[in-house]
Amino acid sequence: CFGSNRGILYARLSTGVHIFTCHISPTPAVCGDGVFARAIAPLIEGARARQLNDFMDFVESKSAPEEPVVVAGDFNLNVGFAAFHAEPQIPEEARAFVREMEDRLSLVEATTSIRGASPPLQSCRPTFAYVGADGEGGPPECHLTTSG
């Protein structure tokens, strides 16, 4: 994780829309809570911070503020849920990233804008392996969350 080489995919459509995606390394939480995990946690957090900063630098370098931009990807923000319809548990790191995307790039979290939820990330729903069980919100993957 802490020495990983993560890339960014970028496309500029003929309409002038810029599309960016990336996959940021997971947080140290995926390493467990052992001595080794705690020892390398600062390295992982440093790598994540650099990846997020590099991503925003790249977006800035390829698009102008007045041009439309769509950002998608797996930012590993560790938004958690006690149950599918439970309110999301949003870590401060996730909130800070969304604020920085808005402050630095003038991007807003799309799901919040579309659904009218406040604050950002409040309308996130789990999507991993979600198959759309009856009474749980509709068809498969209907609760996708994007930024852009």
Side-chain angles (χ1 to χ4, degrees):
C1 284
F2 50 87
S4 64
N5 182 9
R6 297 288 177 139
I8 300 167
L9 295 176
Y10 166 70
R12 184 177 185 278
L13 304 181
S14 60
T15 59
V17 175
H18 300 268
I19 300 175
F20 301 88
T21 188
C22 69
H23 187 173
I24 301 298
S25 292
T27 65
V30 301
C31 298
D33 193 33
V35 174
F36 180 72
R38 289 191 303 273
I40 65 169
L43 298 171
I44 294 171
E45 289 299 344
R48 284 178 49 78
R50 284 188 305 279
Q51 289 169 13
L52 291 168
N53 190 59
D54 288 350
F55 179 75
M56 286 186 272
D57 286 348
F58 188 77
V59 172
E60 283 178 316
S61 75
K62 296 293 183 185
S63 61
E66 68 277 0
E67 296 174 331
V69 171
V70 175
V71 169
D74 184 349
F75 296 99
N76 279 308
L77 297 178
N78 279 2
V79 175
F81 302 88
F84 183 81
H85 287 290
E87 291 294 313
Q89 300 159 355
I90 306 167
E92 179 51 36
E93 178 191 10
R95 293 180 197 278
F97 173 68
V98 170
R99 279 192 305 270
E100 188 166 2
M101 291 281 280
E102 185 170 358
D103 293 346
R104 188 168 160 188
L105 303 173
S106 299
L107 296 177
V108 295
E109 198 267 324
T111 307
T112 298
S113 298
I114 292 166
R115 295 185 182 153
S118 183
L121 300 176
Q122 197 61 40
S123 61
C124 286
R125 290 292 172 256
T127 60
F128 181 78
Y130 177 60
V131 294
D134 287 342
E136 288 199 11
E141 301 298 335
C142 75
H143 292 289
L144 295 178
T145 298
T146 58
S147 292

